[in-house]
């Protein structure tokens, strides 16, 4: 029997600073094992044969743990595991058929007397399987990243390049040309964790006194594993938690009596204020039948169930009993909220019992005092009800487009659910902003921190988005960090940036910071302008930065002039503190200027093409004909050359 993935590390390696703890790496592997195996299976050559592809896919997923245990914690554990799985699959695809057999055979989990293969799919799945079989390994891996991981093309290219693909751009282009109904990848045809078994040679086996079977061992330590049933003489696949006690573990994960329930005052006795400190609330928290139904739908949603997930969030069944956050009747729906350590899972059904159920998944790994302060319980007719954290002592609403108006008290029921709050942009055409942008202003209990209020806004996911603000730099003062966006200056800044938030709807955004990186005096006595960069960070890691120029005298809710955007990168974030931007601007005197400004470390700016000019310091203003498309650059004190943000 093949042992489980090795945890062997030298004593010095275990103590090395920055190494990922064994428990964390193993937990990530167990949680994401089905996704990793599916990625490997899709990327492996179809010519390998389904039986061997299943075994190799499991082997690659298991071996990825070694890399996580010997790598620094600078990269997410799952990202390390995924990269190594794809690296192995791509390397396997580059080998000749003879080399693949020699190198892989000895290390594979051994299965004697049986052949394994995923369940047969329909005509659509078969057509997709044939289309993928015609692609090179890197393109198959790209299709898996786009479909299984729900990544955009830029992120897929970066991951493929890190995994050793020689032409990541071409691979993604080839994958994008294939039928993009990625929902087919969820079918059993592409699931090497739910397999069927068949005998190899019945005639030969009849001549033997017994059939030899070496259990697959660690290959079956999967969130959805093989159990061979001989009822009726035919084997059948069964999704369970794997290993000899898989049936019992799977049953326990779906048992309402095993659901984790936190006490109502636990948050007062812990330093970890996130969803782990939430108590079980709601008028149906003790309804075992409801919880059992919700868990069953989570594990095996029927075709009629409306399933949604934020980008990059796995839709896998629970591998262990989840924590119950809420179960109750809200408006016309019955809602159950679970937390499994990495995800929020919301089950909803019509209160009357009719209609289709809905299942929503949202990634919330690393949530904190603010990002775990509220969860969407229900949305109806353009209104949202929230469930607030037990440490929230007061809740208000305010309109981001009217920074001078005071916040309005928001009523909450005894169980923490709020009255309905109008969704931002509700009833407004796509791309428009409307006349209001509602936001939650919550206050933390004084038992945690005094006078701490913060803003959240609903962008269509289960978890509302935390809004912060970084004021402009001040000479002689160290660089400032993001702070809560509740002061007058922050509210004034967000009044200009709120309308751009609608572009982030449904993208799994965790927080958005409004950074005013420069405030400059304009020529012709026009006054001072603000240059701001809004950085949106997602729960899965990637972020987006947009720069805007707000001239003096702009109306309170005027969105400003776009001055650059980076859809996937580090700009304007913790690791991208240097930025510059430029615009064409007409002064009150009617003259046109090329303007450019940089962040605190910029020491000079240059303009070429149509105008030639340079300036020392952090601001440049040069007269230029209207429509001039100058090339702008900046240089920092360390010699770093900057250009306006732009997607490549």
């Amino acid at each position: 029997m093949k042992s489980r993935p090795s945890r062997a590390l030298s004593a010095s390696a275990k103590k090395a600073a920055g190494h990922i703890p064994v428990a964390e790496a193993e937990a990530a592997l167990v949680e994401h094992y089905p996704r990793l195996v599916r990625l490997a299976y899709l990327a492996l050559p179809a010519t390998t044969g389904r039986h061997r592809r299943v075994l190799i896919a499991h082997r690659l997923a298991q071996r990825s743990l070694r890399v996580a245990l010997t790598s620094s914690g600078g990269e997410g554990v799952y990202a390390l595991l995924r990269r190594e799985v794809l690296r192995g699959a791509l390397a396997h695809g580059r080998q000749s058929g003879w080399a693949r057999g020699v190198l892989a055979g000895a290390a594979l989990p051994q299965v004697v007397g049986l052949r394994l293969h995923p369940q047969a799919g329909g005509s659509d799945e078969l057509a997709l399987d044939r289309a993928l079989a015609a692609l090179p390994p890197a393109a198959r891996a790209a299709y898996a990243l786009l479909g299984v991981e729900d990544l955009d093309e830029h992120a897929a290219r970066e991951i493929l390049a890190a995994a050793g693909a020689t032409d990541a751009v071409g691979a993604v282009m080839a994958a994008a040309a294939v039928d993009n109904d990625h929902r087919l990848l969820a079918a059993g045809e592409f699931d090497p964790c739910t397999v069927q078994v068949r005998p190899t040679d019945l005639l030969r086996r009849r001549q033997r006194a017994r059939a030899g079977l070496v259990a697959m061992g660690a290959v079956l330590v999967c969130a959805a594993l093989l159990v061979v049933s001989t009822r009726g003489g035919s084997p059948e696949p069964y999704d369970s938690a794997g290993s000899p006690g898989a049936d019992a573990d799977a049953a326990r994960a779906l048992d309402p009596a095993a659901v984790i329930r936190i006490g109502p005052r636990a948050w007062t006795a812990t330093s970890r204020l996130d969803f782990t400190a939430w108590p079980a609330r709601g008028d149906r928290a003790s309804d075992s039948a409801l919880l059992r139904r919700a868990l069953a739908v989570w594990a095996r949603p029927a075709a009629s169930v409306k399933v949604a997930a934020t980008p990059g969030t796995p839709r896998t069944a629970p591998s262990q009993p989840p924590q119950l956050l809420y179960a109750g009747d809200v408006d016309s729906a019955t809602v159950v909220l679970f937390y499994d350590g990495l995800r929020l899972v919301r089950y909803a059904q019509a209160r009357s019992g009719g209609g289709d159920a809905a299942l929503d998944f949202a990634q919330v790994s690393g949530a904190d005092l603010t990002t775990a302060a509220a969860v969407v319980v229900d949305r109806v007719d353009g209104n949202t009800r929230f469930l607030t954290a037990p440490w929230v002592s007061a809740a208000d609403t305010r309109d981001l487009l009217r920074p001078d108006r005071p916040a309005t008290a928001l009523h909450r029921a005894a169980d923490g659910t709020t009255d309905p709050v109008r969704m931002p942009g509700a009833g407004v055409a796509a791309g428009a902003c409307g006349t209001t942008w509602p936001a939650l202003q919550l206050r933390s209990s004084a038992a945690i921190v005094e006078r701490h209020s913060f803003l959240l806004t609903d962008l269509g996911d289960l978890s509302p988005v935390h809004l912060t603000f970084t004021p402009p730099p001040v000479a002689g003062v160290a660089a400032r960090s993001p702070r809560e966006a509740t002061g007058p200056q922050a509210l004034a800044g967000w009044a200009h940036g709120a309308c751009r938030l609608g572009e982030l709807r449904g993208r799994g955004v965790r927080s958005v910071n409004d950074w005013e990186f420069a405030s400059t005096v304009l020529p012709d006595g026009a006054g001072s302008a603000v240059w701001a960069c809004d950085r949106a960070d997602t729960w899965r890691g990637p972020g987006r930065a947009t720069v805007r120029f707000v001239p003096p005298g702009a109306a309170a809710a005027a969105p400003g002039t776009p001055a650059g955007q980076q859809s996937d990168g580090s700009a304007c974030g913790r690791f991208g503190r240097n930025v510059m931007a430029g615009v064409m601007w007409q002064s009150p005197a009617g003259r046109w200027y090329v303007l450019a400004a940089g962040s605190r470390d910029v020491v000079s700016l240059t303009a070429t093409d149509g105008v030639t000019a340079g300036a020392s310091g952090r601001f440049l203003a040069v007269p230029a004909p209207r429509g001039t498309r100058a090339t702008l650059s900046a240089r920092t004190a360390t010699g770093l050359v900057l250009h306006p943000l732009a997607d490549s």
Side-chain angles (χ1 to χ4, degrees):
M1 177 180 292
K2 182 175 173 66
S3 62
R4 66 177 181 174
S6 172
R7 293 191 297 174
L9 284 176
S10 67
S12 60
K14 290 180 180 179
K15 296 178 181 179
H19 278 207
I20 297 170
V22 173
E24 182 180 348
E26 288 188 330
L29 179 62
V30 171
E31 174 66 27
H32 301 294
Y33 192 85
R35 292 169 64 191
L36 294 170
V37 177
R38 192 184 296 256
L39 284 172
Y41 183 82
L42 288 167
L44 287 167
T47 54
T48 306
R50 294 192 176 188
H51 173 80
R52 183 169 289 271
R53 281 174 73 191
V54 168
L55 298 182
I56 295 174
H58 283 274
R59 176 203 177 203
L60 293 175
Q62 295 165 33
R63 287 171 61 89
S64 68
L65 183 63
R66 299 181 183 179
V67 176
L69 292 177
T70 56
S71 300
S72 67
E75 187 176 3
V77 182
Y78 175 68
L80 289 169
L81 298 172
R82 177 177 60 192
R83 185 186 65 197
E84 185 61 18
V85 164
L86 291 176
R87 189 192 304 277
L90 294 178
H92 189 86
R94 289 191 292 267
Q95 297 167 357
S96 67
W98 177 85
R100 285 197 296 264
V102 171
L103 295 177
L108 291 180
Q110 300 299 301
V111 179
V112 180
L114 293 174
R115 304 294 292 179
L116 311 176
H117 61 84
Q119 302 176 60
S123 59
D124 291 339
E125 288 83 359
L126 179 60
L128 177 58
D129 188 46
R130 289 174 176 172
L132 294 179
L135 296 178
R140 289 194 300 273
Y143 193 88
L145 289 172
L146 297 173
V148 176
E149 300 291 273
D150 198 20
L151 298 175
D152 58 33
E153 294 185 6
H154 179 79
R157 288 195 298 268
E158 287 192 338
I159 293 172
L160 285 175
T166 55
D167 183 12
V169 174
V172 173
M173 291 178 63
V178 178
D179 178 12
N180 64 355
D181 188 1
H182 294 143
R183 294 174 298 176
L184 295 176
L185 294 180
E189 178 86 12
F190 307 104
D191 184 6
C193 280
T194 305
V195 297
Q196 294 178 322
V197 297
R198 294 289 185 269
T200 52
D201 190 336
L202 289 175
L203 291 177
R204 182 174 299 174
R205 290 177 65 189
R206 288 194 186 102
Q207 297 171 359
R208 295 175 179 173
R210 64 176 182 227
L213 172 63
V214 177
M216 289 178 67
V219 76
L220 297 182
V221 184
C222 174
L225 301 181
L226 171 70
V227 173
V228 178
S229 170
T230 58
R231 293 173 296 182
S234 63
E236 68 175 43
Y238 180 77
D239 286 347
S240 67
S243 76
D247 289 344
D249 291 342
R252 177 173 169 77
L254 304 181
D255 182 2
V259 165
I260 298 172
R261 299 169 184 267
I262 304 300
R265 299 294 296 171
W267 66 273
T268 64
T270 179
S271 60
R272 180 178 175 180
L273 289 174
D274 56 18
F275 291 110
T276 61
W278 276 47
R281 289 174 286 178
D283 57 4
R284 300 186 65 175
S286 300
D287 189 334
S288 295
L290 171 62
L291 299 183
R292 188 181 303 278
R293 184 161 61 252
L295 290 167
V297 171
W298 176 1
R300 291 176 179 271
S304 61
V305 176
K306 301 174 184 177
V307 182
T310 54
T313 304
R315 307 182 186 193
T316 51
S319 58
Q320 57 188 359
Q323 178 183 338
L324 177 64
L325 303 184
Y326 180 86
D329 295 324
V330 184
D331 298 320
S332 60
T334 297
V335 176
V336 181
L337 283 170
F338 294 111
Y339 172 65
D340 71 352
L342 295 173
R343 303 170 295 176
L344 290 174
V345 181
R346 176 184 178 271
Y347 166 84
Q349 65 181 46
R351 193 168 181 176
S352 62
D356 297 330
L359 197 62
D360 295 285
F361 296 87
Q363 187 175 166
V364 289
S365 177
D368 56 22
L369 172 71
T370 55
T371 53
V375 174
V376 171
V377 177
D378 188 38
R379 288 192 181 96
V380 60
D381 297 332
N383 296 300
T384 304
R385 285 189 190 270
F386 298 91
L387 177 67
T388 55
W391 57 81
V392 171
S393 61
D396 299 318
T397 60
R398 69 178 318 130
D399 186 355
L400 293 184
L401 300 185
R402 293 174 172 79
D404 55 334
R405 290 190 180 180
T408 303
L410 176 64
H411 175 263
R412 294 185 298 158
D415 62 3
T417 55
T418 69
D419 281 356
V421 178
R422 192 66 176 168
M423 287 180 62
V428 179
C433 182
T435 58
T436 66
W437 193 280
L440 290 179
Q441 181 167 308
L442 305 181
R443 184 165 68 247
S444 301
S445 168
I448 299 173
V449 57
E450 293 184 1
R451 299 186 180 91
H452 177 240
S453 297
F454 51 95
L455 293 183
L456 304 175
T457 191
D458 180 13
L459 292 184
D461 298 324
L462 286 181
S463 177
V465 176
H466 182 206
L467 303 180
T468 57
F469 174 75
T470 303
V474 176
V477 178
R480 300 179 177 184
S481 299
R483 59 196 61 186
E484 301 304 346
T486 53
Q489 187 179 15
L491 292 173
W494 267 115
H496 296 297
C499 282
R500 298 295 298 272
L501 290 172
E503 300 171 6
L504 304 171
R505 196 180 307 276
R507 298 191 180 185
V509 175
R510 172 183 181 142
S511 61
V512 185
N513 180 55
D514 179 38
W515 173 33
E516 295 186 355
F517 64 87
S519 178
T520 59
V521 178
L522 301 185
D524 295 344
S528 296
V530 171
W531 303 75
C533 184
D534 290 343
R535 168 75 187 185
D537 287 314
T538 63
W539 287 98
R540 65 189 186 281
R544 191 189 82 162
T546 56
V547 176
R548 68 177 184 275
F549 167 78
V550 183
T561 302
Q565 177 172 304
Q566 185 185 76
S567 296
D568 189 5
S570 60
C572 303
R574 179 182 176 186
F575 303 109
R577 294 294 187 92
N578 295 305
V579 66
M580 67 89 58
V583 296
M584 282 292 299
W585 171 77
Q586 186 179 29
S587 76
R591 286 185 284 268
W592 285 91
Y593 290 84
V594 170
L595 305 180
S599 50
R600 63 179 294 117
D601 290 336
V602 167
V603 295
S604 65
L605 298 117
T606 302
T608 59
D609 295 338
V611 62
T612 301
S616 298
R618 300 173 48 233
F619 179 60
L620 177 148
V622 56
R626 180 179 182 179
T628 299
R629 302 180 65 86
T631 298
L632 302 174
S633 63
R635 186 177 296 274
T636 68
T638 60
L640 178 67
V641 176
L642 306 175
H643 299 282
L645 299 185
D647 290 325
S648 56

